[in-house]
Amino acid sequence: MMFKSSVVSGAAAGPLLMLLGMLMFSLNDAMGKWLISTYGLGQLIFLRSAAALFILVPMVWFAGFGKLFRVERPLMQLSRVFFSTAEVFCFYWAVIYLPLADVMTFWLAAPIYVAACSPFLLGEKVGWRRWTAIAVGFIGVILALEPSSAMFTWPAMISIAGSAAFAFMLISGRFLKGTPDSTLVFFQVGGAGLAGLVFAPVGWAPIESGRDLVLLGMLGIVAMAAHMLVNRALKISDAATVAPLQYTLLVWAVVFGWLFFDELPRFGLMLGAVLIVASGLFIFIREQRLKSRAA
C-alpha cells in the first residue's frame, strides 16, 4: 500500500508543479500589467531582469561561469536572445492597452506558428491532419482579433508580433538542445535587461512606494521560480502529461483580469481561444504519437 501511494504521489508531482508554474507565470503577468500603468516599459523590464539576475548569477557562479562562453551555434544564441527580448517587450507593451486574456490568447497561438514554420525551418514533415489543425488555429486568431475595419489596431499588431517572436524563440531553442537551461535563461534575461537599460530613460518614473519596489523585484523572482517549476515538472513527468497544462494560463488570465482590472472576456475572444487551444492540443498530441511510433 505504501509503494502504491508513493507511485501515485510521484505521478501527481509533475502536473502539480506545472500547474503551480502556470499560476506563478500568470501572477507575474498580472503584476506586470498593474505596474506598467505607472512605470516606463524599459524601466519595468530592466528592474525585472535585474531582480532575476540577482537570483540567477549565484547559481551560474557555482555551476561555473566558463560554461556561459562555451556555447553551441553563437549566431543562433544571439537570434534567440533577440526574439526573447522582442517577445517580453511586446508582451508588456500589449498589456498596457489590452486585457490580460486577450494578450494571453495571442501568446498561446505560438505553438501553432511553430508547427506552421517547422517544415521550412526545421525540415519536419507535417501531414494533412496537422495542417488542418494549423488552419483552425489561425481561424481562432482571426476570431480573437474580431474581424472588422478596426481589426488591425496597434495593440493587436503588437500582440501578433510578440507571439510570433515567442514562436521563433521556441524554434531557435530546438536548434540549441545541447545548451544547458541555465545558460539559455541567463542570456535570455541578460539580453532583456540590457535592452531595458537602453530604453529605461524613456518614461522613467520615480518608484512611488516600498510596495511597488517589492512588486518590481518580484516580477523577476516569480518568473524565475515559474521557469524552475516548469523545468522540474518536465524532468519528472513526460511532456504528454504536463505540457497541455500550459493552457491553464488562459483560465488564470481571465480570473486575474476580472479580479484586478475589471476585465471581462469578449465572446469573439473566447470562441477564438477555444479554437486555438483545441488546435494546439491536437498538434501536440499528434506530434507525441508520431514520436512514439518512430521510437
Side-chain angles (χ1 to χ4, degrees), residues 94-173:
V95 295
I96 296 174
Y97 308 103
L98 295 176
L100 267 180
D102 290 47
V103 179
M104 192 56 64
T105 297
F106 293 124
W107 252 254
L108 289 178
I112 299 168
Y113 305 155
V114 173
C117 293
S118 60
F120 313 104
L121 299 179
L122 300 172
E124 297 178 357
K125 183 180 179 181
V126 175
W128 68 270
R129 292 180 181 87
R130 277 187 288 174
W131 277 121
T132 302
I134 290 167
V136 170
F138 278 118
I139 292 172
V141 172
I142 293 171
L143 286 174
L145 284 168
E146 288 193 341
S148 67
S149 59
M151 172 177 165
F152 295 106
T153 61
W154 274 113
M157 292 302 97
I158 292 167
S159 297
I160 294 294
S163 60
F166 182 51
F168 282 113
M169 185 191 82
L170 295 175
I171 290 172
S172 62

Side-chain angles (χ1 to χ4, degrees), residues 4-204:
K4 187 178 292 187
S5 63
S6 65
V7 171
V8 172
S9 61
L16 287 174
L17 289 175
M18 189 70 171
L19 288 170
L20 182 57
M22 294 302 102
L23 171 59
M24 295 191 74
F25 273 128
S26 300
L27 282 172
N28 182 78
D29 297 339
M31 287 192 296
K33 182 174 175 62
W34 179 276
L35 292 166
I36 199 66
S37 63
T38 304
Y39 302 101
L41 180 61
Q43 177 184 12
L44 181 84
I45 292 173
F46 169 68
L47 294 175
R48 173 185 183 269
S49 300
L53 287 172
F54 181 77
I55 302 297
L56 189 59
V57 166
M59 297 169 59
V60 175
W61 176 271
F62 285 114
F65 264 111
K67 295 180 180 179
L68 288 178
F69 305 101
R70 296 193 297 270
V71 295
E72 58 176 341
R73 302 191 179 196
L75 290 178
M76 187 61 67
Q77 298 279 357
L78 285 174
S79 69
R80 186 179 185 278
V81 170
F82 171 79
F83 287 123
S84 64
T85 301
E87 177 263 331
V88 73
F89 266 82
C90 286
F91 182 87
Y92 287 113
W93 194 2
V95 295
I96 296 174
Y97 308 103
L98 295 176
L100 267 180
D102 290 47
V103 179
M104 192 56 64
T105 297
F106 293 124
W107 252 254
L108 289 178
I112 299 168
Y113 305 155
V114 173
C117 293
S118 60
F120 313 104
L121 299 179
L122 300 172
E124 297 178 357
K125 183 180 179 181
V126 175
W128 68 270
R129 292 180 181 87
R130 277 187 288 174
W131 277 121
T132 302
I134 290 167
V136 170
F138 278 118
I139 292 172
V141 172
I142 293 171
L143 286 174
L145 284 168
E146 288 193 341
S148 67
S149 59
M151 172 177 165
F152 295 106
T153 61
W154 274 113
M157 292 302 97
I158 292 167
S159 297
I160 294 294
S163 60
F166 182 51
F168 282 113
M169 185 191 82
L170 295 175
I171 290 172
S172 62
R174 292 194 183 186
F175 287 101
L176 302 171
K177 293 181 179 179
T179 303
D181 290 341
S182 58
T183 301
L184 292 174
V185 173
F186 181 86
F187 284 126
Q188 179 178 335
V189 173
L194 286 175
L197 181 61
V198 170
F199 291 101
V202 181
W204 182 279

